[in-house]
Amino acid sequence: MLITIAWRNLWRNHRRSLIMLTAIAIGLWGMIWMTALMRGMVDQMIDDAINTLSGHVQVHAPGYLDDPSIEHSIPAVEDNPQLQQLLDSSQVTAWSQRVRVPAVIRSERDVYGVTLIGIDPEREVGLSFIADSVNEGRYLETAADKQVLVGRKLLEQLETKPGRRIVLMSQDPDNNIAERGFRIAGVFDADLQATETGYVFAGIDTVRKMLRMGDVVSEISLLGTDYRDVDGLAQEVQTVSDYGETKTWLQLDPYMASMLNVMDGFIFIWFGVIFLALSFGLVNTLLMAVFERTREIGLIQALGMQPGSILFMVLVESLIMLLIGLFAGNLLSWLTILPIRDGIDISGVSEGLEWAGMSSTLSPSVLASDVLLANSIVLVLGVAASLLPAWRASRKVPVEAITRVWQ
Amino acid sequence: MNTTNAVTCRKVDKIFEQGELAVHALSDVDLEVKSGGFVCLSGPSGSGKTTLLNMIGGLDRPSDGEITVAGQRIDQMRMSDLAELRLQHIGFVFQAYNLIPVLSARENVEFVMQLQGLPAHERSQRALAILDQVGLNGMEDRRPGELSGGQQQRVAVARAIVSNPALILADEPTANLDSATAEKLMELMRELNAQIGTTFIISTHDKLVMSYARRLIKMHDGEIIDDIQQDGRDA
Ligand SMILES: Nc1ncnc2c1ncn2[C@@H]1O[C@H](COP(=O)(O)OP(=O)(O)OP(=O)(O)O)[C@@H](O)[C@H]1O
Ligand SMILES: [Mg+2]
């Protein structure tokens, strides 16, 4: 009976109920949708950061990060059986070693400073972006490949094209200029322009030969199974390669780390804003709903309903409302996220946001825990908001509630 | 304490504070109503009839004095105990706004029985029977908004009597009724009074209602100014 009354009461004032339902649904939708986009953005940024070259964990020679020169090299993986064994274990999904030195690239037209990266092309597959970013010409074939990959933007700046020759210059271990001509094998595209202008890729063996540096490497990069959980792996790697400095992607990219904090803070503030708007709305409408029915509640109380039951009745009423609103909100979120789950093109705004490491497509990422949190927030808030009017309704001396009901 | 009294009021005062203004709605009201009484309260508008019924029904608290209903002091009773007392002992008929708007006539009549915990089958049987008795056959499923004022009033009376409370408090129960219906209603109340000894306290301006009363109490400015036994019997 209580539930019948509560249910029918909901439909008595259509407009108010609808407004309230809409507010709840949109509030929930706002939380879910916004977090999905935020999470998507963060995931994308992390993905970009990780697959641009860093991997989850990297090993360098001490000092390399401050002075990324050829003097700061470490032994190749093949010379450290323990490390080799760890890298080939199931904890590591992909790994690679690279020579990575500052260089100058010169075409017939122009000269630019770049980072020359010697890679083992097969090892980069599944580890960094380069393996599937070559959209013109060809990817490198072996560690001894004698051609190079340049970024689209750099290619334009150098005013050259695939098949043409460029010259790369760097320093060898004896501080002599090492110089070598290369043919451009292919052109790669990247999400960030800085990547396209900053990196030139060549076969690691070719680079070693050019720099006369022997079987050493500048960095070892590896992927674990989850970017959120890399500290243990880094620890193990450090143990077996104590001549080097092992860092996780977060340590390598303190900017990204602070960016993540900003994002978390932003989500928090966003939830707070919606929370506030919603609570004012809910408290208000529920107060109104109860106030409007003061006489009816007085009547019910006069007939002998216990104050506690009245509290319960008002609570049930808002609970029904909340549940319908939540259902609608979840449905709305699902319907709006579904069409863009493969990503929306935000290249229009992403250019301005490149500094933040944003790429040009954004895929929402819906975490069950976010949805749950948003739902619980609205539910708890709604119940809390209706407790006040419910409690006030149940505390009224009936005659106050039905003043002048019986003239 | 006289246990054969359905209602006892001792020096009951009620003062409404309205800002600076204090309205003395009841002053020093002494009243005893015996079980099985059929009492009419009359008096000009503002004389305190409704206020007195509110006090007796435990809907409001007196500013001073003692009220005993069904052998229990109610002037200081807790709200939840008052609610229980109203539920088990008192039937109410208000002058206006009697019914729960979202419930049908039958559901309104069943409401009190449901609060009392009667099984659904018995509830609906008794509700239908009583609605038939007050002449609302065929209107059981209408909501209050679909009934005339008089029909609503009859639903309210049906609800008040359906659970056979010991005491029925009715405030102007015939105000919206034509005289024929009013008479039928009064007959019904007298019948209940005679057959199961239900105590009635009815406030009214209606001469017809007064003519049914066995005891007529006149009020003026919050005081009882006259108390007349109309049929020589003790009420
Ligand atoms: N809740 C209240 N607040 C302030 N004053 C009130 C309140 N209820 C009643 N009064 C005042 O108390 C006095 C008695 O009112 P009451 O309603 O008991 O009169 P009544 O005899 O029922 O009148 P009527 O015949 O018009 O129904 C009136 O002066 C009224 O204005
Ligand atoms: Mg009155």
Side-chain angles (χ1 to χ4, degrees):
Chain A
M1 175 72 81
L2 282 185
I3 293 176
T4 315
I5 295 181
W7 172 256
R8 291 192 192 159
N9 264 325
L10 273 186
W11 304 116
R12 211 159 91 197
N13 190 336
H14 286 96
R15 208 161 48 123
R16 193 186 45 223
S17 295
L18 276 180
I19 289 174
M20 198 127 110
L21 280 181
T22 315
I24 295 170
I26 290 186
L28 183 73
W29 172 78
M31 290 201 216
I32 293 181
W33 212 71
M34 197 67 182
T35 34
L37 287 191
M38 293 277 209
R39 293 256 181 238
M41 203 148 95
V42 169
D43 278 2
Q44 187 97 45
M45 279 164 61
I46 292 173
D47 265 12
D48 282 353
I50 287 172
N51 85 15
T52 291
L53 285 173
S54 82
H56 292 166
V57 175
Q58 283 194 352
V59 188
H60 298 106
Y64 173 86
L65 291 173
D66 293 327
D67 174 17
S69 71
I70 198 160
E71 294 146 47
H72 295 121
S73 299
I74 48 175
V77 173
E78 293 79 11
D79 296 330
N80 182 343
Q82 267 181 298
L83 180 59
Q84 175 101 51
Q85 196 180 355
L86 178 61
L87 293 181
D88 289 338
S89 76
S90 62
Q91 277 177 281
V92 175
T93 55
W95 67 270
S96 165
Q97 50 191 349
R98 306 175 183 130
V99 171
R100 185 166 171 171
V101 291
V104 169
I105 188 168
R106 196 178 73 219
S107 70
E108 291 140 24
R109 302 267 174 183
D110 221 335
V111 181
Y112 288 95
V114 293
T115 299
L116 170 61
I117 304 177
I119 55 171
D120 180 342
E122 282 162 43
R123 287 231 150 266
E124 297 295 334
V125 177
L127 175 64
S128 69
F129 76 103
I130 188 64
D132 42 43
S133 300
V134 176
N135 295 322
E136 192 183 340
R138 64 166 176 88
Y139 183 52
L140 300 179
E141 275 158 6
T142 64
D145 202 308
K146 292 195 166 43
Q147 300 193 359
V148 294
L149 302 174
V150 297
R152 170 90 48 206
K153 187 73 186 172
L154 183 63
L155 190 82
E156 285 168 15
Q157 288 172 346
L158 290 170
E159 295 180 46
T160 180
K161 52 185 180 190
R164 295 259 188 90
R165 291 180 64 85
I166 48 92
V167 174
L168 279 162
M169 286 188 299
S170 187
Q171 275 184 344
D172 72 10
D174 306 321
N175 282 338
N176 296 318
I177 298 287
E179 184 179 290
R180 190 193 153 119
F182 290 90
R183 212 173 277 285
I184 297 173
V187 184
F188 66 86
D189 296 295
D191 284 331
L192 303 184
Q193 239 183 46
T195 309
E196 288 188 4
T197 56
Y199 297 119
V200 173
F201 294 88
I204 187 169
D205 290 346
T206 313
V207 176
R208 278 168 170 163
K209 233 176 265 167
M210 160 186 167
L211 299 178
R212 297 179 282 273
M213 62 188 287
D215 276 348
V216 291
V217 299
S218 310
E219 75 183 14
I220 297 164
S221 172
L222 57 118
L223 280 184
T225 46
D226 183 0
Y227 73 76
R228 276 169 278 251
D229 180 26
V230 292
D231 289 343
L233 183 58
Q235 194 61 51
E236 285 185 54
V237 172
Q238 177 67 49
T239 312
V240 295
S241 59
D242 52 5
Y243 44 79
E245 226 175 29
T246 307
K247 296 235 150 118
T248 64
W249 64 275
L250 266 178
Q251 292 167 321
L252 286 167
D253 200 344
Y255 174 73
M256 184 61 74
S258 61
M259 201 63 207
L260 285 186
N261 283 335
V262 170
M263 284 289 181
D264 277 352
F266 199 87
I267 287 181
F268 187 74
I269 291 171
W270 177 247
F271 269 41
V273 167
I274 292 199
F275 188 87
L276 277 182
L278 210 58
S279 53
F280 279 124
L282 275 183
V283 172
N284 252 322
T285 17
L286 283 168
L287 271 174
M288 284 284 293
V290 172
F291 182 73
E292 242 175 45
R293 301 215 321 275
T294 310
R295 299 209 303 179
E296 182 185 332
I297 290 171
L299 171 67
I300 291 176
Q301 248 179 312
L303 294 178
M305 187 185 273
Q306 288 291 331
S309 304
I310 297 200
L311 187 83
F312 177 75
M313 186 179 78
V314 177
L315 276 183
V316 165
E317 204 174 306
S318 34
L319 209 61
I320 294 177
M321 173 87 76
L322 281 166
L323 291 179
I324 299 178
L326 287 183
F327 176 77
N330 284 314
L331 191 71
L332 186 65
S333 310
W334 186 68
L335 286 178
T336 49
I337 287 176
L338 202 62
I340 58 162
R341 90 197 123 157
D342 296 327
I344 44 175
D345 188 1
I346 53 158
S347 45
V349 285
S350 73
E351 244 161 73
L353 288 173
E354 179 154 306
W355 54 268
M358 288 247 305
S359 62
S360 56
T361 57
L362 177 53
S363 315
S365 154
V366 183
L367 290 189
S369 61
D370 286 343
V371 176
L372 217 64
L373 181 68
N375 276 280
S376 330
I377 284 181
V378 176
L379 197 65
V380 168
L381 181 71
V383 170
S386 51
L387 267 177
L388 175 68
W391 186 79
R392 276 178 48 171
S394 72
R395 286 291 102 189
K396 277 213 168 93
V397 179
V399 76
E400 259 177 62
I402 48 168
T403 306
R404 294 189 181 83
V405 161
W406 45 356
Q407 299 289 321
Chain B
M1 187 188 299
N2 188 346
T3 47
T4 64
N5 274 359
V7 175
T8 310
C9 299
R10 293 253 174 276
K11 296 200 172 310
V12 170
D13 269 312
K14 181 64 184 180
I15 299 165
F16 289 109
E17 314 272 359
Q18 281 190 317
E20 299 289 284
L21 223 74
V23 180
H24 221 118
L26 293 177
S27 36
D28 259 4
V29 171
D30 280 310
L31 174 67
E32 289 185 15
V33 176
K34 297 256 182 321
S35 286
F38 201 94
V39 178
C40 226
L41 294 177
S42 72
S45 183
S47 57
K49 305 182 295 290
T50 298
T51 308
L52 184 56
L53 285 177
N54 281 345
M55 297 299 145
I56 295 171
L59 298 174
D60 200 358
R61 296 184 194 281
S63 310
D64 200 10
E66 297 173 11
I67 301 174
T68 306
V69 174
Q72 292 171 268
R73 275 284 295 275
I74 66 164
D75 41 286
Q76 303 295 331
M77 212 181 232
R78 279 172 31 210
M79 270 182 73
S80 53
D81 293 337
L82 278 175
E84 187 63 19
L85 179 86
R86 286 196 298 269
L87 178 62
Q88 303 300 346
H89 289 278
I90 308 177
F92 288 92
V93 182
F94 304 102
Q95 184 186 343
Y97 204 82
N98 248 306
L99 305 177
I100 300 164
V102 294
L103 298 183
S104 70
R106 184 163 61 81
E107 288 167 329
N108 263 288
V109 173
E110 283 188 36
F111 186 78
V112 172
M113 289 189 282
Q114 180 150 24
L115 289 182
Q116 290 173 336
L118 264 63
H121 175 69
E122 191 184 340
R123 275 195 328 251
S124 88
Q125 226 173 23
R126 280 169 68 171
L128 289 177
I130 210 99
L131 281 170
D132 190 37
Q133 233 178 320
V134 297
L136 290 175
N137 202 347
M139 303 188 188
E140 297 88 353
D141 292 322
R142 295 206 195 164
R143 298 236 181 134
E146 301 160 341
L147 294 169
S148 73
Q151 289 165 339
Q152 290 181 34
Q153 202 64 7
R154 278 182 276 166
V155 176
V157 172
R159 182 191 55 208
I161 62 182
V162 73
S163 53
N164 295 328
L167 172 65
I168 289 182
L169 303 175
D171 200 2
E172 318 256 3
T174 60
N176 289 315
L177 303 182
D178 60 88
S179 57
T181 318
E183 209 167 330
K184 265 207 299 217
L185 204 67
M186 290 317 294
E187 292 287 350
L188 184 66
M189 292 192 185
R190 276 305 289 264
E191 216 174 284
L192 276 173
N193 175 253
Q195 282 173 4
I196 37 179
T198 308
T199 308
F200 282 84
I201 303 178
I202 305 166
S203 97
T204 192
H205 293 290
D206 188 345
K207 292 274 183 292
L208 175 84
V209 176
M210 292 182 212
S211 73
Y212 275 89
R214 296 212 309 269
R215 179 179 171 194
L216 184 60
I217 292 172
K218 293 196 173 147
M219 297 188 69
H220 190 81
D221 282 348
E223 294 180 39
I224 294 179
I225 54 164
D226 211 348
D227 193 341
I228 308 161
Q229 301 292 331
Q230 295 204 128
D231 60 356
R233 275 165 54 195
D234 200 20

